[in-house]
Amino acid sequence: MKTLIYFQDADTFTTSGIGRAMSHQLRACELSGVETTIDKNDSYDLAHINTYFGKSKKLLNKCKAKGIPVIVHGHSTYEDFRNSFKCWQLAALVYDHDLKYMYSRADMIIAPTTYAAKLIESYPFKKTDKILAISNGIDIKAYAEDKEAQRQFRERFSIAEGEPFVMGVGFPFQRKGIIDFFEVARSFPDIKFIWFGHLQRILTNEKIARAIRKRPKNAIMAGYCKGNIIHGAFQSATCLFFPSYEETEGIVVLEALASRCPLIIRDIGVYGDWLSDGVDCHKGKDNTQFANHIKSLLEKGEDPQILENGFQVAKARDLPIVGEQLKQAYASLLESKAK
C-alpha cells in the first residue's frame, strides 16, 4: 500500500496549522509503516488530498479517471473560513464551491475531530458516507521539557526566569480572537501578553490592522516563531490563551497540552467531546471569564492534576496512534474499492 500525501503548493503552508498537519501525516505514516510519496507524478495506490484548489481538483479528477481511491481531508469548513483573510466574503464564493467540489467527489473524508466531521456531514450536498474523525496528532516527544529552549525563549523576549506571561498563537485573524486577546491584556497592564503568528499586511483586514496598531503596551506581536523559541514559550508561559471562535481542531491546543502548559480556550463546539472545563483546561464564554481564569492562574498557579489530565489528552493523539488510525482508514478504503 502506497499513499500519495498531497498538499497543493505546500511551501505556502509552512507557517500554518495545515503545514504542521502535513508533517504530522507523513511522520505518522512512517511510524505505522505506510509507504508514502508527496510526488503526484509517482505511482501510488490511493491519494490523500489535503487542499481544495485548482491543482487539487485536477489531481482528484485524474485519480477518479484511473480508478484510484481518493481521501479528502476535512481541514476546512465553511464556518472556519469566515472572518479570516481580508475580503474573505468575496473569496468565500470560490472557496465554498471548491469545498463542495472536493468533498462531494471524495471516496472518504477524514476530519480532525468529531465536530468537524459532523459539520461536513451536515452540508446540503451529496457526499460519501465514509467520514472519519482522526486527529491531526502531536509528536509528544518533541514537547518534552527542554531547559535550553526555555532559556533561549526568555533571552529572545527579555523575560526573567519565573516571570509570568500569557501567550497566544495563530494567524492574526478576527476568528482567532486576537481582538479579545488585546482586550483581556488591558486588564493586566503589568503582565506581558505575547501573540505568536504573522499574516502579510495585504491579507489583514483593516479592523485587525487597527487593533494591532492600538493594542495595549503590554501586548507584544512576536511574529512567526518556531523550534526552540516556540517550544520554550509553551514550557514557560503562565498559560496559552486561545480565544478562537471556530476551529476544526486547533493544533496549538495540542501543543499546549503536550507541553503541560495551562490552557484557556473559548467554550465552542469543537472542544465539546474531548476537553472539559476544570478537568484538563479552562473554558470561558467571554472576556470577563477569560480574565478571571488568568487572574486565578497568576495568583494560585495551575492544579498539577489538570496539567496531567491535559497531557493525557495529547498523549492519546500521539503520532504513532494517529499513524495506526490512518493505516486502518487507508486499508479499509482499498478493501471496499476492491470489492
Side-chain angles (χ1 to χ4, degrees):
M1 177 172 61
K2 186 175 181 180
T3 302
L4 169 67
I5 304 291
Y6 183 72
F7 286 74
Q8 179 179 324
D9 302 323
D11 290 346
T12 65
F13 293 110
T14 54
T15 64
S16 70
I18 291 182
R20 290 201 297 285
M22 178 181 182
S23 63
H24 287 183
Q25 277 180 25
L26 291 168
R27 179 61 178 154
C29 286
E30 179 186 358
L31 291 169
S32 63
V34 175
E35 185 180 2
T36 62
T37 179
I38 59 173
D39 181 0
K40 65 182 180 180
N41 296 314
D42 202 348
S43 61
Y44 46 87
D45 300 300
L46 63 87
H48 187 167
I49 302 176
N50 286 264
T51 43
Y52 315 97
F53 317 118
K55 296 175 185 177
S56 301
K57 292 159 70 174
K58 185 177 180 180
L59 174 63
L60 181 146
N61 290 330
K62 177 183 175 182
C63 290
K64 301 292 279 187
K66 291 184 173 182
I68 297 174
V70 175
I71 295 172
V72 173
H73 208 100
H75 293 294
S76 296
T77 62
Y78 297 154
E79 289 77 6
D80 81 341
F81 188 70
R82 272 60 183 159
N83 294 310
S84 53
F85 299 95
K86 185 177 182 179
C87 299
W88 67 264
Q89 295 96 331
L90 293 176
L93 298 174
V94 175
Y95 190 79
D96 289 0
H97 175 270
D98 286 349
L99 284 189
K100 178 181 178 180
Y101 189 95
M102 297 297 291
Y103 289 155
S104 65
R105 288 164 175 78
D107 297 299
M108 176 184 284
I109 298 171
I110 294 177
T113 55
T114 301
Y115 170 82
K118 288 181 177 178
L119 276 183
I120 295 170
E121 286 176 347
S122 74
Y123 293 159
F125 54 82
K126 186 178 180 180
K127 64 192 78 66
T128 178
D129 59 359
K130 298 183 179 68
I131 304 180
L132 306 181
I134 299 177
S135 172
N136 286 313
I138 190 75
D139 184 356
I140 289 291
K141 292 180 180 178
Y143 292 86
E145 184 177 23
D146 188 332
K147 294 294 186 182
E148 176 59 18
Q150 295 173 37
R151 185 197 66 77
Q152 289 182 28
F153 161 75
R154 290 195 303 269
E155 184 177 276
R156 170 84 168 266
F157 290 93
S158 300
I159 292 179
E161 187 167 1
E163 178 183 349
F165 71 94
V166 174
M167 67 182 291
V169 183
F171 283 130
F173 291 158
Q174 184 172 341
R175 173 176 65 82
K176 293 289 185 180
I178 190 170
I179 293 176
D180 300 278
F181 187 85
F182 292 152
E183 287 305 308
V184 172
R186 295 182 200 281
S187 302
F188 301 90
D190 297 325
I191 303 296
K192 291 177 181 175
F193 279 61
I194 306 176
W195 184 278
F196 296 89
H198 173 73
L199 186 66
Q200 292 179 348
R201 179 64 183 88
I202 194 172
L203 297 175
T204 305
N205 68 44
E206 183 52 39
K207 184 176 182 179
I208 296 301
R210 183 169 58 252
I212 291 173
R213 289 195 304 269
K214 296 184 176 182
R215 69 187 185 275
K217 293 181 179 179
N218 61 318
I220 299 167
M221 296 299 292
Y224 175 69
C225 296
K226 61 181 181 178
N228 276 1
I229 299 301
I230 195 67
H231 287 180
F234 274 117
Q235 294 176 16
S236 306
T238 299
C239 64
L240 170 68
F241 171 33
F242 188 58
S244 179
Y245 286 85
E246 185 69 32
E247 295 291 323
T248 53
E249 181 173 40
I251 289 181
V252 298
V253 168
L254 295 180
E255 290 177 314
L257 298 174
S259 303
R260 299 180 188 270
C261 175
L263 174 64
I264 299 174
I265 52 177
R266 191 178 300 278
D267 189 2
I268 55 176
V270 67
Y271 307 125
D273 64 341
W274 58 286
L275 290 173
S276 300
D277 182 39
V279 176
D280 40 42
C281 67
H282 304 282
K283 296 182 178 181
K285 296 182 182 296
D286 55 39
N287 290 346
T288 298
Q289 292 184 6
F290 294 144
N292 287 339
H293 285 314
I294 292 172
K295 184 174 184 288
S296 177
L297 289 173
L298 289 169
E299 292 177 351
K300 303 175 185 177
E302 182 60 288
D303 181 342
Q305 188 59 56
I306 291 178
L307 293 179
E308 177 58 27
N309 292 342
F311 179 79
Q312 293 302 322
V313 170
K315 191 174 180 181
R317 292 156 176 79
D318 200 6
L319 290 186
I321 295 173
V322 171
E324 286 302 317
Q325 293 172 342
L326 289 173
K327 183 178 182 178
Q328 291 174 20
Y330 297 161
S332 70
L333 179 56
L334 287 172
E335 182 179 353
S336 68
K337 294 294 284 186
K339 291 178 181 179

